Amino acid sequence: MKLLGGTISPYTRKVRVVLAEKKIDCDFEIVDVNPVDNPVNPHNPLGKVPTLVLDDGTALYDSRVIVEFLDSVSPISRLIPDDNRERVAVRRWEALADGVLDAGLLVRYESIRDKKEQSQAWSDKQLARMKRSMAQIEKELGERTWCRADRYSLADIALACCMGWLDFRKPGGVDWRSDYPAVARHYDKMMERPAIADTVPK
Ligand SMILES: N[C@@H](CCC(=O)N[C@@H](CS)C(=O)NCC(=O)O)C(=O)O
């Protein structure tokens, strides 16, 4: 199995953390997805990372599909609960964290366009989306150690990957550590796990 990804890509990080937590061996190839013709295209027409290429050549994408596949191939450290309501709750956390990232990436992509082509209104809309979502995350996390059901899960991994990327890129100058103390506490706790500490974007 080979994972095509990037060391800064937060969605790739989510997959790398799941691989590590579940002790699944997988080659990791760092690819540049910036060119129109990039090395991911032959495997994934979307040309995005992460893309997981299985031994029989089947390619899986996107990160949510990949982590579901990985969680089901090994019983070690189950990260997505079997119970329907719990599974949906964990995947909702993941959707929220990934959604913050989606908006953050749009802000970043906008900021590196030619100045004349940038739209402040567009960036502001994405930043407002991020802030609303972060406030919701902070409220739902509250005093809890883990996002869902007092148990470490994919929800915690998705949240940590999101925050790690925001820390690294700071789209729109967002400073979540001071604005969202519960999220900051959660991230510090997550950094105690080697799978998280070893994959910090740099
Ligand atoms: N929803 C996708 C998002 C993947 C994604 O946007 N990856 C970025 C890197 S962080 C990418 O490949 N961007 C290339 C591009 O948009 O051209 C997932 O969860 O895998």
Side-chain angles (χ1 to χ4, degrees):
M1 246 175 7
K2 183 163 71 175
L3 176 66
L4 307 178
T7 52
I8 292 169
S9 161
Y11 312 99
T12 301
R13 187 182 183 194
K14 191 189 348 160
V15 173
R16 290 173 73 202
V17 171
V18 169
L19 283 165
E21 295 289 17
K22 297 191 67 73
K23 305 191 187 325
I24 297 173
D25 280 333
C26 182
D27 292 334
F28 180 41
E29 185 177 327
I30 297 172
V31 289
D32 179 4
V33 284
N34 285 317
V36 175
D37 289 319
N38 73 54
V40 178
N41 294 348
H43 304 284
N44 172 358
L46 300 170
K48 290 188 177 192
V49 291
T51 294
L52 183 71
V53 185
L54 305 184
D55 291 341
D56 68 0
T58 307
L60 301 183
Y61 41 85
D62 59 9
S63 66
R64 296 187 211 180
V65 172
I66 298 172
V67 296
E68 180 166 342
F69 169 75
L70 294 174
D71 199 42
S72 67
V73 293
S74 161
I76 297 173
S77 302
R78 289 302 301 271
L79 297 167
I80 303 173
D82 284 330
D83 175 78
N84 194 37
R85 291 296 286 264
E86 284 306 311
R87 185 174 65 251
V88 168
V90 164
R91 306 239 71 176
R92 174 180 174 268
W93 267 101
E94 183 188 23
L96 193 53
D98 281 10
V100 171
L101 280 175
D102 294 342
L105 274 159
L106 290 175
V107 172
R108 168 153 175 84
Y109 291 151
E110 192 67 13
S111 73
I112 56 180
R113 292 175 78 195
D114 198 281
K115 272 261 181 289
K116 294 194 296 291
E117 291 172 5
Q118 291 179 20
S119 161
Q120 192 57 48
W122 170 254
S123 296
D124 287 348
K125 182 178 179 190
Q126 305 311 325
L127 284 166
R129 178 174 284 156
M130 287 169 68
K131 281 193 183 143
R132 277 197 310 274
S133 304
M134 289 298 303
Q136 180 75 21
I137 288 170
E138 175 75 10
K139 192 170 92 184
E140 291 195 20
L141 203 51
E143 300 294 310
R144 313 166 74 98
T145 303
W146 306 118
C147 294
R148 185 66 195 178
D150 296 327
R151 187 173 167 266
Y152 177 67
S153 74
L154 176 64
D156 301 289
I157 296 172
L159 180 58
C161 292
C162 173
M163 294 310 138
W165 184 83
L166 291 187
D167 230 7
F168 184 75
R169 290 291 193 207
K170 297 190 174 46
V174 67
D175 178 9
W176 58 267
R177 281 189 181 276
S178 55
D179 292 347
Y180 309 107
V183 175
R185 182 180 42 76
H186 179 266
Y187 191 72
D188 291 342
K189 176 103 195 128
M190 289 295 285
M191 283 293 279
E192 293 170 9
R193 303 188 77 91
I196 295 289
D198 294 347
T199 53
V200 172
K202 46 183 176 265

